[in-house]
Amino acid sequence: MTRVLNRIEAYYDAVPRSSARAEDFGPLTFFVREGADGWPFYARPTLGHAGGVSVADVERVRARQRELGLPEAFEWVAETSPGLRAAVAASGLVVHAHPLMVLDGDPLPVPEPVDAVVRTVGAADPRLADAVSAPYAAFGATAGPDDARRVGERIAAGLAVLAAGFDAESGEALAGGQHQPVGDVAEVVGVGTRPGARRRGLGLAVTAALVADARARGVGLVFLTASDASVERLYARLGFRTIATALIAEAPEPETSEALEAAEALEAAERSEGV
């Protein structure tokens, strides 16, 4: 298992470098996107670093993230950097844990979605923008005006593969997702289904199509991060198994005035009751 996690660590270090520069902070590396648009990236443990990470190390990176107006975000694998969580949490960031899953062999068969067609989408495909927008809608967001262009450029460069599930009658993209190959490793990312099309097996079918494409390209290690335990169970139906824990840290949400007033009222009530 150590060998698999080391391959994933090397992948995590390599995949941002196609569109970001790496800033060295000793035990941490901060990936900064090139240009004004695109994914803002994050900081993570420096590849090969064997020592500890202090709160001061984390604070230096956070100061740089604030200076650039970028999210104060860190991502890492708990099992390969076991001491980082304490330092990140002590700096005031909120840490979220997610199952890290790998697939051995080909995906298990899943039922074909009813009244839908699942396929990969090329850079020049007329349905590219629609396919890109579907996962955004799944998470309550809207694709930006340049997102389809950017994804198309990554597809053309061999940096990403997009698959989508289309309604057989209307042609609308109902679900979508990508895998990002680097050498013989690929991560499945951003799989999502429009709210009105859920529970039709589209997400699993899209994931299976992405895995099949990765295998056809000679990718030996396919992995993904599940958002929670229920999604973990869904991916297990394809044959993915959990091998580690992916940790994502971000700044806490600022409390609204209503939340602050509610907290103050609760504190006053507790004091009056002698709690």
Side-chain angles (χ1 to χ4, degrees):
M1 193 54 60
T2 299
R3 182 173 177 273
V4 172
L5 289 177
N6 287 341
R7 292 171 69 191
I8 291 175
E9 283 295 314
Y11 174 92
Y12 277 144
D13 180 78
V15 73
R17 295 177 184 268
S18 63
S19 54
R21 70 176 186 273
E23 295 192 359
D24 182 9
F25 285 82
L28 296 168
T29 299
F30 175 34
F31 293 102
V32 183
R33 70 184 175 197
E34 298 286 11
D37 61 355
W39 187 253
F41 292 107
Y42 42 76
R44 58 171 292 102
T46 297
L47 186 65
H49 175 73
V53 181
S54 68
V55 178
D57 293 326
V58 175
E59 291 289 359
R60 281 194 293 273
V61 175
R62 291 186 65 186
R64 177 61 171 158
Q65 290 169 326
R66 290 192 297 270
E67 177 187 353
L68 296 176
L70 295 173
E72 297 175 58
F74 293 72
E75 297 189 9
W76 71 101
V77 177
E79 288 74 7
T80 53
S81 302
L84 182 54
R85 181 169 190 163
V88 168
S91 78
L93 296 180
V94 178
V95 181
H96 307 280
H98 305 278
L100 181 64
M101 310 181 75
V102 300
L103 178 66
D104 301 311
D106 293 325
L108 298 176
V110 293
E112 290 289 332
V114 177
D115 297 328
V117 177
V118 177
R119 61 176 178 85
T120 57
V121 179
D125 195 299
R127 305 301 299 179
L128 174 66
D130 191 26
V132 169
S133 69
Y136 280 87
F139 300 107
T142 302
D146 294 324
D147 285 335
R149 172 192 56 78
R150 186 166 53 250
V151 172
E153 290 173 352
R154 290 183 60 79
I155 293 171
L159 299 172
V161 174
L162 173 66
F166 296 92
D167 185 88
E169 182 176 347
S170 69
E172 180 188 16
L174 304 176
Q178 300 179 41
H179 81 75
Q180 300 177 350
V182 176
D184 69 341
V185 180
E187 181 181 18
V188 175
V189 298
V191 176
T193 303
R194 294 183 186 274
R198 288 175 182 162
R199 301 189 181 280
R200 292 171 55 181
L202 287 163
L204 284 181
V206 166
T207 304
L210 291 169
V211 173
D213 181 273
R215 294 292 193 232
R217 294 168 185 265
V219 170
L221 175 59
V222 179
F223 76 100
L224 54 79
T225 299
S227 57
D228 55 35
S230 62
V231 176
E232 179 185 23
R233 289 190 293 272
L234 283 175
Y235 285 127
R237 291 170 51 189
L238 275 178
F240 281 89
R241 61 186 177 90
T242 300
I243 63 165
T245 304
L247 297 177
I248 299 174
E250 59 187 2
E253 291 288 338
E255 292 191 82
T256 64
S257 59
E258 292 84 358
L260 288 172
E261 290 173 1
E264 290 171 356
L266 177 59
E267 183 180 354
E270 290 176 341
R271 284 200 305 268
S272 68
E273 296 172 1
V275 176

